[in-house]
Amino acid sequence: MADRYPFSKIESKWQKHWADNKTFKAIDNLKDKPKYYILDMFPYPSGSGLHVGHPEGYTATDIVARYKRMRGFNVLHPMGWDAFGLPAEQYAIETGIAPSIKTVENIATFKRQIQSLGFSYDWDREINTTDEAYYKWTQWIFLQLYNKGLAYQSEVAVNWCPALGTVLANEEVINGKSERGGHPVVRKPMRQWMLKITAYADRLLEDLEGLDWSESIKDMQRNWIGKSEGAEVNFRIADQDLSLDVFTTRPDTLFGATYMVLAPEHPYLEKITTPDYVAQVNAYRVLAERKSDLDRTDLAKGKTGVFTGAYAINPVNDTLIPIWVSDYVLMSYGTGAIMAVPAHDTRDYEFATAFDLPIQEVVSGGDITKEAFTQIEDGLMINSSTKDGQFSINGMKPSKAIQVTIDWLEESGKGKRAINYKLRDWLFSRQRYWGEPIPVLHDGTSTIPLSDSDLPLTLPVLDRIKPSGTGESPLANAKEWLQVVDPSSGKVYTRETNTMPQWAGSCWYYLRFIDPDNHERAWDLEKEKYWMPVDLYIGGAEHAVLHLLYARFWHKVLYDLGYVSTKEPFQKLVNQGMILGMDGEKMSKSRGNVINPDEVVKQYGADTMRLYEMFMGPLERSKPWNTSGIEGVYRFLNRLWRHFVKDDGGLIALSDEEPDAETMTMMHASIKKVQSDLDNLAFNTAISQLMVFSNHLRELSEVPRQALETLVMLLNPFAPHISEELWALMGNETTLAYHVWPEYDEKMLVRDTITMAVQVNGKVRAQLEVEVDAEKEHVLAMAHEHVSVKQHMEGKTIVKEIVVPNRIVNIVVR
RNA sequence: GCCAGGGUGGCGGAAUUGGUAGACGCAGUGGACUCAAAAUCCACCGGUGGCAACACUGUGGGGGUUCGACUCCCCCCCCUGGUACCA
């Protein structure tokens, strides 16, 4: 590669220039410019360093940030580190190296790699979730939640591995064995912290409406929240002074309820099971409990269950229906009990068929001898009236019958309208060392939150991090840290050994970026008002549900407390697609298809890397890496350099004449195209336009200064180093970063003549060069003259002639 | 199963409100330069037929609407992501 342009010299020069001059420092509360807050999902600094997927999103946000600055915005574009997490802890257990030390190393690597790409972050705002000065405020937010009654403790089963003496995350358990060592894992109930996210379910759902997010991500969140409306119906137990509530979305099918099912964990089972059935019910419960230890997917294979010997009374027709127990009913949803309507529910149908239970049709329109009829739209109610005829929904559409039945249930005191959510409360504690300590004390009977002045509660330095053996986190080994003696009363308290999950730090980092050095409070309210909401948030789709839902939840709590001014944190969200390996597969070490960004930068430079990642295809789509594809954009930059820079390093002579008409049109068209593509994050087509424009300029014998300046300005967001260098070579003394974006003139886009296609029966037969807005008659006359048009019309009659001005002519003949 | 997104040359991908399918780039072929190669530059480049002009055909498959469909409607197939007995 003899003539390649000196990218490494140029890139290090400008990176140093930007850093020395703090070119990208964001100014708080600036009034004379509109603000624009553009955020990346900050990375977990793993030991393996950056992979090419990271810079895809970062390049996209950087391009927008640089573009917005040129458009006159005050841009906040920060970066930080989500550095708590399991890998560092595992590494510590294996090697004895403290997570804090390893984390610092990893961050240094990530930072060096990110900086080598020339991103325009305001590094003065860098934050790190493992920093005491940061997690002090994570703990403070936890206390806000606690004081608001949104944090509580509960016994929840965890994956306990006796051999390792530790609790495992779900992803560390494979087929009931520990991922490391293959030891047996059992479910063990432990005291856990929960956050009451369910209290915000409705608002998390409703407020999605106003957000500029892709419909698919909104849908994923909606499905996760899983709101369903229906009724709670009360069933009395025959011969006992007990009753059971069930939740159903189909109260219209109440007359078709032929049995009832309880979840194996349902507390009523002990009360209602008749003596004859106790043995089999207990056996089933044990079986079900063990089953949940196995892979859950096995459960779907077929329905199992046993009869309890008890009967319930169907409140609409007083029919006695048997009560069964089966694990297809989940204790964690609804009331843990269902009314089964086999004729109109696929699962109930399967169960009834397996155990020979009666199937009663109450909605006509299907064939219940074959399968459950679940269509709610096309069908009419049948067999649905009380014995005395006082209440009947026969002949109604199910949708109507649902409402009528609920009204009747409420009037007769047999049930009520009800709403259920799939969303569960958030299991917030982890039995880990490397996380934010939960700032509470225990005295054996109650839990006492720390006061704000006791924060941060820092992690104790341990000689060696090892499992406690009890299932508690390694913090249980830190005896001195664990015990707190009240100096006045002498009373002894114990610290909480659970820590927060990795989600905690990332739930509010976007707020800390606003005011990262504030020691008095988490952030300043004025600055928050100025910068929020985040205008554009870009990151991977893997966080589409949990991170975004948790962060939105915290944000709403903070909103209720008056600490933030917007209901939602992230106004516009875009998920970048995955970059696949050359083989079209997900990049992974085991496949050996990982591309190292350091290598790419070394060989081609940061500008080429940035340009290529954006040129590959639409941001949101997954696309495979192609090493020879990168050569293409590299050649583009090389050609640009070689054509305009002489061997001695000076710029070629530019013409100060007005560009010719064609160049002028193309220049304005390019501004328009690049600008609208940037507004739509369509980087690939914008780059294509830059190539077209630059190819044109290379064909000119004399290059007009104005045209080259425009090209360099348009290129700047994408390839800022080479752009700044060319800009400086053109004699400009100030940075291009804040230079005003060129304006296009719509008038310049209008050309005198235009090429129109002429079709005969929909097939293109000729091209006409006509004046813009030429008369229809004139165009048709020209078309008729054309040799090949004539040929295809010969001997036929004209049926119809269509002229779309400036576009197309179609002559229909027969 | 359900929800969402997608299927266009050898490859990545372009195509305003339906209006010349394949922009831009890669790979490939031919040529220039070179002792030679690399790099660079020029030309060609969906398929079939033809020396060529040109003709036919072509956007996952089938049908429809229209003067005209990658684009709109119906049915089907395949791929990716999410979710999974949520009553």
Side-chain angles (χ1 to χ4, degrees), chain A residues 96 98 433 459-466 474-479 481:
Chain A
Y433 168 82
L459 282 168
V461 176
L462 296 179
D463 292 341
R464 177 88 202 202
I465 291 168
K466 44 183 183 260
L475 287 173
N477 300 331
K479 298 292 178 225
W481 180 83

Side-chain angles (χ1 to χ4, degrees), chain A residues 232-282:
Chain A
E232 233 168 69
V233 187
N234 188 261
F235 281 68
R236 280 187 295 118
I237 311 293
D239 307 321
Q240 295 197 57
D241 191 19
L242 284 173
S243 71
L244 271 168
D245 283 330
V246 303
F247 174 74
T248 176
T249 54
R250 295 293 304 274
D252 56 316
T253 62
L254 202 41
F255 288 92
T258 53
Y259 64 100
M260 193 176 211
V261 188
L262 304 190
E265 301 84 9
H266 202 289
Y268 271 34
L269 275 177
E270 287 177 17
K271 298 182 191 168
I272 63 165
T273 304
T274 59
D276 291 352
Y277 290 92
V278 167
Q280 69 178 68
V281 166
N282 284 343

Side-chain angles (χ1 to χ4, degrees), chain A residues 65-83:
Chain A
R66 287 175 180 274
Y67 168 62
K68 289 288 177 184
R69 285 189 200 99
M70 293 177 81
R71 295 301 302 269
F73 286 84
N74 183 27
V75 171
L76 174 56
H77 186 38
M79 181 46 80
W81 318 104
D82 189 15

Side-chain angles (χ1 to χ4, degrees), chain A residues 532-548:
Chain A
M532 285 299 286
V534 172
D535 296 284
L536 178 63
Y537 192 26
I538 295 186
E542 65 273 21
H543 296 120
V545 179
L546 294 181
H547 159 63
L548 289 168

Side-chain angles (χ1 to χ4, degrees), chain A residues 457-492:
Chain A
L457 169 59
T458 57
L459 282 168
V461 176
L462 296 179
D463 292 341
R464 177 88 202 202
I465 291 168
K466 44 183 183 260
S468 65
T470 60
E472 288 179 279
S473 83
L475 287 173
N477 300 331
K479 298 292 178 225
E480 273 183 41
W481 180 83
L482 213 56
Q483 301 249 311
V484 181
V485 182
D486 182 338
S488 53
S489 66
K491 194 174 163 186
V492 179

Side-chain angles (χ1 to χ4, degrees), chain A residues 400-411:
Chain A
K400 171 104 192 282
I402 288 172
Q403 300 310 321
V404 173
T405 306
I406 295 175
D407 289 344
W408 179 80
L409 286 169
E410 289 192 331
E411 279 162 28

